């Protein structure tokens, strides 16, 4: 028995004949006969469009980061700031590549349409070609800013080197009606709609400044007590005879103190009320508390004792 399935393809409705049963040894995708639309093709296209969109987002972010990292050598303050940006990018790029690799790997093959599997496998090979090196470079804890920047520049070049398959998705759409129909899947439509909305959306407002008793005056911490707002990704705070290196991103603040004799203590503060203590017995002890933060700034409460 066969039943009619009403399918919308590019705004046009067509009737696809679906079998109510499957013969032994017959694949699921053979239930849908050309030239009518194959529902499994839509499922394949959904996964591909979403995976390709994630890859494109990583590419765009890598281009922006490459611009921010360029030309910072020789300026210590700018180099520290870029080192913080680089560390955050290294982690996010590695995680993104891992996720994109899983996404392409999860897309089901369509054995009756060889070009679908060739396209998916070509993307997966390119991602997996650069992914191990990016993962190795991501561990930048304890490295100097210049080395973090160098690693991040290498990862941006790795992402830029990811090649489009030949023939590409766009070329297949132009020459093959099967791919033209696939491009009208719900997932592909949603990806295109999200991109249109992103391009037409007004710029996001700047995060509101958080109140701090001493504002952005880091000099107020020199006497051992202050409440300051940190807006830069990387900065240094002098507290009595201790110097703290502060790295800030959208989700956490990392505070580091290096000892003259060697060694360092680093504390990650990722929630309001989180604290870290620095110093050594017989000298000044400094406590740093994360009092508030948003995507643009963080408020630190700093106290000290002898």
């Amino acid at each position: 028995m066969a039943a009619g399935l009403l399918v919308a393809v590019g705004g046009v409705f067509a009737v696809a004949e679906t079998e109510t049963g499957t013969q032994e040894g017959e694949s699921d995708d053979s239930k849908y006969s050309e030239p009518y639309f194959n529902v499994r093709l839509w499922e394949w296209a959904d996964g591909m469009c979403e995976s390709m969109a994630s890859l494109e987002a990583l590419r765009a972010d890598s281009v922006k980061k490459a611009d921010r990292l360029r030309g910072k050598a020789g300026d210590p303050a700018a180099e520290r700031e870029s080192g913080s940006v680089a560390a955050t990018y290294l982690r996010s790029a590695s995680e993104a590549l891992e996720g994109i690799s899983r996404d392409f790997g999860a897309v089901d093959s369509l054995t009756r349409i060889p070009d679908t599997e060739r396209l998916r496998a070509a993307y997966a090979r390119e991602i997996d070609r650069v992914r191990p090196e990016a993962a190795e470079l991501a561990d930048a804890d304890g490295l100097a800013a210049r080395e973090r920047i160098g690693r991040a520049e290498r990862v941006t070049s790795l992402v830029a080197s990811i090649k489009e398959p030949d023939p590409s998705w766009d070329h297949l759409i132009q020459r093959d009606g099967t791919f033209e129909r696939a491009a009208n899947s719900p997932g592909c439509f949603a990806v295109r709609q999200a991109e249109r909305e992103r391009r037409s959306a007004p710029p996001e407002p700047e995060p509101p400044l958080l109140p701090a008793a001493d504002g952005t005056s880091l000099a107020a911490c020199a006497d051992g007590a202050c409440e300051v707002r940190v807006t830069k990704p990387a900065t240094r705070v002098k507290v009595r005879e201790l110097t703290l290196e502060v790295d800030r991103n959208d989700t956490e603040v990392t505070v580091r103190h290096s000892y003259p004799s060697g060694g360092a203590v680093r504390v990650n503060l990722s929630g309001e009320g989180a604290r870290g203590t620095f110093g050594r017995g017989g000298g000044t002890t400094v406590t740093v508390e994360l009092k508030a933060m948003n995507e643009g700034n963080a408020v630190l409460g700093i106290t000290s004792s002898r």
Side-chain angles (χ1 to χ4, degrees):
M1 295 292 292
L5 175 65
L6 196 63
V7 181
V9 180
V12 178
F13 286 94
V15 177
E17 296 296 326
T18 64
E19 298 295 332
T20 56
T22 302
Q23 298 297 321
E24 184 177 355
E26 186 179 22
S27 64
D28 287 344
D29 50 324
S30 66
K31 291 192 293 183
Y32 305 94
S33 57
E34 296 295 349
Y36 301 111
F37 188 72
N38 185 334
V39 173
R40 284 198 64 204
L41 184 63
W42 253 3
E43 297 172 353
W44 173 88
D46 285 352
M48 287 295 294
C49 281
E50 291 161 5
S51 301
M52 289 187 293
S54 297
L55 174 57
E56 189 55 36
L58 174 60
R59 283 173 168 153
D61 182 58
S62 295
V63 169
K64 291 179 181 178
K65 292 301 189 297
D67 288 341
R68 290 187 64 181
L69 297 171
R70 194 173 291 116
K72 299 298 185 182
D75 183 341
E79 193 169 284
R80 286 196 302 273
E81 181 175 334
S82 291
S84 178
V85 172
T88 301
Y89 169 73
L90 286 167
R91 291 192 297 269
S92 64
S94 177
E95 291 170 359
L97 286 168
E98 291 286 345
I100 295 167
S101 176
R102 288 194 300 270
D103 291 344
F104 275 118
V107 177
D108 288 336
S109 300
L110 296 179
T111 56
R112 291 178 61 239
I113 312 174
D115 276 341
T116 61
E117 176 55 21
R118 281 195 286 268
L119 186 71
R120 184 207 66 80
Y123 271 116
R125 282 194 302 271
E126 279 294 285
I127 297 298
D128 290 340
R129 176 178 62 82
V130 304
R131 180 172 54 84
E133 185 176 352
E136 183 177 350
L137 294 171
D139 185 8
D141 287 348
L143 298 181
R146 188 65 248 169
E147 190 168 354
R148 290 180 182 182
I149 294 169
R151 288 190 174 203
E153 288 173 338
R154 172 58 182 164
V155 173
T156 63
S157 67
L158 286 172
V159 173
S161 75
I162 297 174
K163 299 176 183 176
E164 287 292 315
D166 185 17
S168 68
W169 169 271
D170 289 340
H171 288 158
L172 288 168
I173 289 175
Q174 293 171 9
R175 79 180 195 189
D176 190 329
T178 298
F179 284 87
E180 184 178 4
R181 293 191 293 274
N184 287 295
S185 74
C188 291
F189 178 81
V191 166
R192 292 195 299 272
Q193 182 67 18
E195 178 61 16
R196 284 193 293 269
E197 291 175 356
R198 184 189 67 79
R199 291 180 179 179
S200 62
E204 292 187 5
E206 291 291 327
L209 294 177
L210 298 171
D214 297 302
T216 58
S217 177
L218 301 182
C221 302
D223 65 359
C226 62
E227 182 182 86
V228 291
R229 181 171 61 248
V230 176
T231 57
K232 294 182 178 180
T235 191
R236 288 185 177 182
V237 182
K238 182 77 172 177
V239 186
R240 297 190 185 275
E241 67 269 23
L242 273 67
T243 298
L244 304 178
E245 298 177 12
V246 179
D247 291 347
R248 181 197 62 77
N249 60 34
D250 292 346
T251 59
E252 70 177 9
V253 173
T254 300
V255 184
R256 187 172 185 268
H257 171 60
S258 299
Y259 294 103
S261 58
V265 175
R266 187 183 69 249
V267 177
N268 295 324
L269 308 177
S270 57
E272 294 182 10
R275 296 185 177 191
T277 300
F278 306 86
R280 60 177 57 185
T284 298
T285 298
V286 175
T287 299
V288 181
E289 178 183 355
L290 178 60
K291 293 203 165 186
M293 73 178 303
N294 59 24
E295 293 182 359
N297 50 126
V299 174
L300 302 179
I302 298 176
T303 57
S304 65
S305 60
R306 293 184 184 273

